[in-house]
Amino acid sequence: RCTVDDRVTRVAWLNRSTILYAGNDKWSIDNRVVILSNTKTQYSIKIHNVDIYDEGPYTCSVQTDNHPKTSRVHLIVQVPPQIVNISSDITVNEGSSVTLMCLAFGRPEPTVTWRHLSGKGQGFASEDEYLEITGITREQSGEYECSAVNDVAVPDVRKVKVTVNYAPYISNAKNTGASVGQKGILQCEASAVPVAEFQWFKEDTRLANGLEGVRIESKGRLSTLTFFNVSEKDYGNYTCVATNKLGNTNASIILYG
């Protein structure tokens, strides 16, 4: 808006050095710019659908009794934060180094932060567009959330999933007692990513499902060896082996009477 009085004889609006309007005559070829009012008290233009290139100084130039006067207004264009590029979901081996990237645009320039959405709560990981993790551990797997924040609109939030592969380790393998003629169950629990595959041995002989009255069931982290009708010859030392592409581990479990 530009407030004028009845002594004004000529009026014009300029953007930097470009004439937009002179009186009612449009000089700008931009159809987003229109004259809103040209009266004895006001000379106003309107810009539809503003973008960042419209930012800058606008000058209302008036002529009064052959004396030119100008009034200047600076248009500041704000842009909501937007994440324009972010790392894809990633799978790495434990001990690797990982860099996650989150590039954002906005005006004012948005603040970008990373945080780890782990089971233990939400921990800040980085206050930067880049999050660098050196020697990643299995505890650092999970979802990472990038937020781009400025005060124009709500933050833009995106997530990246980081999967950390690690070799199996057997977390639970207990010796178990069972009476002759009863049911006996040996259990072997192993953590691993990817999930471990299990094998059972007695001495050097690999046990197969359904043979000699035993059943092997493996699901997720747990493998069970079930004896439906325990006999004396079943007593002894068994080995559970857990394997994935990163390695293997084993544990000795005793079935006793």
Side-chain angles (χ1 to χ4, degrees):
R1 297 180 196 281
C2 184
T3 304
V4 294
D5 61 32
D6 51 13
R7 288 176 301 163
V8 170
T9 56
R10 288 183 182 160
V11 286
W13 268 107
L14 296 84
N15 176 10
R16 298 181 176 87
S17 58
T18 305
I19 298 174
L20 300 174
Y21 270 91
N24 286 322
D25 295 333
K26 186 173 184 179
W27 287 43
S28 168
I29 59 170
D30 191 339
N31 59 14
R32 298 175 306 127
V33 182
V34 295
I35 195 152
L36 204 59
S37 65
N38 182 7
T39 65
K40 288 183 176 181
T41 56
Q42 195 177 87
Y43 184 54
S44 303
I45 58 169
K46 188 171 191 173
I47 306 167
H48 293 278
N49 195 21
V50 166
D51 71 26
I52 56 172
Y53 303 107
D54 297 317
E55 182 161 305
Y58 289 76
T59 305
C60 176
S61 178
V62 300
Q63 193 90 8
T64 58
D65 310 327
N66 297 322
H67 292 299
K69 290 184 179 178
T70 60
S71 175
R72 179 176 285 198
V73 58
H74 196 92
L75 176 65
I76 298 168
V77 179
Q78 295 184 316
V79 181
Q82 183 185 5
I83 294 169
V84 292
N85 197 354
I86 189 166
S87 296
S88 303
D89 293 348
I90 186 172
T91 299
V92 296
N93 292 345
E94 192 168 43
S96 303
S97 292
V98 175
T99 300
L100 300 181
M101 170 195 72
C102 180
L103 304 181
F105 174 77
R107 291 168 75 102
E109 188 80 23
T111 301
V112 176
T113 54
W114 279 102
R115 57 184 184 166
H116 184 202
L117 308 179
S118 68
K120 297 170 184 165
Q122 302 175 351
F124 267 100
S126 170
E127 299 200 7
D128 189 24
E129 293 176 327
Y130 293 91
L131 168 61
E132 295 184 9
I133 307 169
T134 307
I136 194 166
T137 66
R138 62 196 69 174
E139 289 79 25
Q140 289 172 304
S141 67
E143 283 196 321
Y144 286 80
E145 182 183 86
C146 172
S147 297
V149 180
N150 67 13
D151 292 332
V152 179
V154 295
D156 194 14
V157 178
R158 303 267 293 275
K159 292 176 184 174
V160 176
K161 186 178 182 184
V162 177
T163 302
V164 179
N165 291 335
Y166 58 91
Y169 75 97
I170 291 174
S171 52
N172 197 359
K174 290 196 183 85
N175 297 336
T176 304
S179 304
V180 170
Q182 299 293 310
K183 191 180 194 179
I185 298 174
L186 299 182
Q187 289 191 331
C188 179
E189 190 175 336
S191 294
V193 177
V195 172
E197 294 182 356
F198 292 92
Q199 294 175 318
W200 287 89
F201 294 85
K202 185 174 187 187
E203 274 78 50
D204 295 331
T205 305
R206 183 179 171 187
L207 303 178
N209 209 353
L211 293 181
E212 299 178 18
V214 300
R215 183 175 69 202
I216 298 168
E217 281 184 298
S218 300
K219 192 172 182 182
R221 297 172 50 168
L222 187 66
S223 183
T224 58
L225 176 62
T226 304
F227 303 85
F228 292 106
N229 187 1
V230 173
S231 65
E232 285 283 350
K233 70 177 177 56
D234 292 328
Y235 294 137
N237 195 358
Y238 292 82
T239 304
C240 164
V241 180
T243 307
N244 72 3
K245 64 182 182 180
L246 273 76
N248 64 69
T249 186
N250 65 73
S252 177
I253 308 173
I254 296 170
L255 179 69
Y256 58 88

